Amino acid sequence: ELSYALGKQGGTRKKLERSSGAVVQYVGHTALFSGTRSERRRAREYMRWLFEQLEGPVWVDGWEDRDDCTVVEIPSDCIGYITGARRATLGLMEAEWGVLMFFMSKAEDKGRGRGVAEKLIILGPQRGRRGAELKVMSGVETKNPGYFTRGIREKTSDEKGFDTDRMIFKDDELSYSLGKQGTTRKKLEAAAGAILEYVGHVAFIAGTLKERRRAREFLGWLLAQRRGSVTIRDVASRDDATEMYIPENCKGWVTGNRGSELRRMEAETNTYMFMALDERGEERLIIFSHDAGSKVSTHGRMAAERLVNEMIQEKLRDDGGRGGGRDSRSPSRRRGDSR
């Protein structure tokens, strides 16, 4: 029981801990749960269901009335795809979102045959559950197009707290917004601080009102860049943006071939960066992220700003210090290990 409850490299213990919110530790053969009463109760229940899976099918009675679970109906032809070999795909989603997931069925349902949808239960905090649910929906939609999106409409919520918006893409917009191996989607998600998942041609944006609006704005600017230069005014009034005026002779060097250097810096710092025009028609670089960063953090706007400044200084040194155009407004900061 102990090795099963621990999991590979302690993965199962960590999963129980993150999904329940309790501290879960094993001292010898004793499991210790520490936290509020509801956190401890959840941890005990989740562990019991884990062990019950060794015996046979597990059913969570009264799941409809619980506030810590989400249930998704999975068509039978997608179950293997969502589970993965030896549960690898489910395990990755559990680790990414800090949730516990398993298929629920009653003992009497056994042998009902193929063609019946099964219930996948996702246990954990709200944001993690929604992220995992959308990931599952995206996977099912890939295998079974239209299962979740048939007849779906766009939606914009005014709810200040956690909610989900929907945006429907045109055919050519989807691949552009996804990027190679999903890099563009992941970049916008990290910079906005929202959950951004594509289910077929529908973008699901989950988070607080501020996070959802930010993600929508980022998507809008991304798609607008295909038609030409984007003008963004009043950046000074935003709390998620840093402006940098790049010397004229450094612009190509900082952006790289087809934006390759900007993409590299975005990936390193979890930001979204592009050249945009100000109200006077002057081009400058804007770094977007909900995370302002710090002098020591490798993520956030300050980290990206440092990388850009290093590139500018490098180019100016190579050119013998001949700077064209306007100097960067940001003071130069060095960080030796950035490249």
Side-chain angles (χ1 to χ4, degrees), residues 290-304:
H290 70 101
D291 177 12
S294 69
K295 288 184 177 178
V296 292
S297 174
T298 54
H299 293 138
R301 299 195 307 275
M302 282 178 79

Side-chain angles (χ1 to χ4, degrees), residues 19 28 39 59 78 80 104 123 133 144 149 191 225 259 270 278 289 302 318 339:
S19 57
E39 287 167 351
W59 182 262
C78 297
M104 285 197 303
L123 296 148
E133 179 189 10
N144 195 334
T149 60
Q225 284 173 63
N270 285 349
D278 62 16
S289 176
M302 282 178 79
D318 289 352
R339 293 200 72 190

Side-chain angles (χ1 to χ4, degrees), residues 218-235:
F218 289 1
L219 267 173
W221 287 330
L222 180 83
L223 296 171
Q225 284 173 63
R226 298 183 311 157
R227 298 188 291 272
S229 296
V230 178
T231 300
I232 301 177
R233 300 175 173 85
D234 301 328
V235 168

Side-chain angles (χ1 to χ4, degrees), residues 135 174-187 189 197-198:
K135 200 83 158 177
L174 176 64
S175 58
Y176 188 76
S177 305
L178 191 59
K180 192 178 177 184
Q181 295 175 321
T183 49
T184 305
R185 179 193 65 78
K186 290 172 191 167
K187 162 181 84 182
E189 181 178 65
E197 191 59 71
Y198 304 158

Side-chain angles (χ1 to χ4, degrees), residues 10-294:
T12 304
R13 184 193 64 75
K14 289 173 192 164
K15 176 169 76 180
L16 283 168
E17 208 167 50
R18 289 178 68 197
S19 57
S20 67
V23 175
V24 179
Q25 284 292 349
Y26 308 141
V27 179
H29 279 67
T30 306
L32 301 177
F33 307 109
S34 179
T36 63
R37 180 180 291 176
S38 57
E39 287 167 351
R40 299 194 310 272
R41 191 189 69 243
R42 283 197 298 267
R44 291 176 75 101
E45 283 178 325
Y46 295 177
M47 184 174 276
R48 191 180 80 238
W49 292 327
L50 269 180
F51 281 119
E52 282 178 5
Q53 287 175 65
L54 294 173
E55 309 296 321
V58 177
W59 182 262
V60 176
D61 285 315
W63 62 264
E64 302 94 336
D65 302 320
R66 296 181 68 103
D67 63 358
D68 65 339
C69 76
T70 302
V71 172
V72 193
E73 295 262 343
I74 309 293
S76 58
D77 58 346
C78 297
I79 291 168
Y81 181 70
I82 293 300
T83 309
R86 298 183 65 184
R87 221 180 161 276
T89 311
L90 273 185
L92 283 172
M93 287 190 279
E94 287 175 329
E96 181 182 356
W97 292 106
V99 293
L100 174 66
M101 304 165 77
F102 56 88
F103 283 96
M104 285 197 303
S105 58
K106 294 176 178 172
E108 58 264 29
D109 294 341
K110 215 172 180 184
R112 272 196 308 175
R114 291 181 60 77
V116 181
E118 284 203 26
K119 286 181 166 56
L120 176 69
I121 189 165
I122 305 168
L123 296 148
Q126 185 184 34
R127 183 176 283 261
R129 291 199 318 269
R130 191 60 170 141
E133 179 189 10
L134 291 172
K135 200 83 158 177
V136 167
M137 286 166 64
S138 179
V140 169
E141 194 74 15
T142 304
K143 287 282 282 182
N144 195 334
Y147 186 81
F148 286 113
T149 60
R150 200 170 286 116
I152 205 166
R153 294 182 179 179
E154 291 209 343
K155 174 196 163 194
T156 307
S157 166
D158 292 327
E159 171 64 45
K160 272 192 173 179
F162 192 88
D163 205 352
T164 307
D165 290 354
R166 292 191 297 265
M167 266 175 81
I168 297 175
F169 287 130
K170 298 182 182 74
D171 282 354
D172 57 332
E173 292 176 342
L174 176 64
S175 58
Y176 188 76
S177 305
L178 191 59
K180 192 178 177 184
Q181 295 175 321
T183 49
T184 305
R185 179 193 65 78
K186 290 172 191 167
K187 162 181 84 182
L188 296 179
E189 181 178 65
I195 296 166
L196 176 62
E197 191 59 71
Y198 304 158
V199 180
H201 278 68
V202 185
F204 283 76
I205 304 161
T208 62
L209 181 63
K210 196 172 184 180
E211 290 164 348
R212 297 193 308 273
R213 282 184 175 164
R214 192 186 288 129
R216 276 179 167 275
E217 227 169 7
F218 289 1
L219 267 173
W221 287 330
L222 180 83
L223 296 171
Q225 284 173 63
R226 298 183 311 157
R227 298 188 291 272
S229 296
V230 178
T231 300
I232 301 177
R233 300 175 173 85
D234 301 328
V235 168
S237 63
R238 299 181 67 103
D239 63 358
D240 62 353
T242 301
E243 278 180 299
M244 294 184 76
Y245 285 84
I246 311 292
E248 202 60 45
N249 63 329
C250 299
K251 281 182 181 174
W253 177 254
V254 168
T255 55
N257 180 32
R258 299 180 68 188
S260 59
E261 287 299 322
L262 288 184
R263 302 294 83 82
R264 175 186 66 82
M265 292 187 281
E266 283 175 335
E268 276 186 40
T269 58
N270 285 349
T271 55
Y272 173 37
M273 307 160 69
F274 58 93
M275 301 296 287
L277 303 177
D278 62 16
E279 53 274 11
R280 297 188 303 276
E282 278 192 61
E283 194 178 44
R284 83 285 201 212
L285 177 69
I286 312 181
I287 303 167
F288 288 102
S289 176
H290 70 101
D291 177 12
S294 69

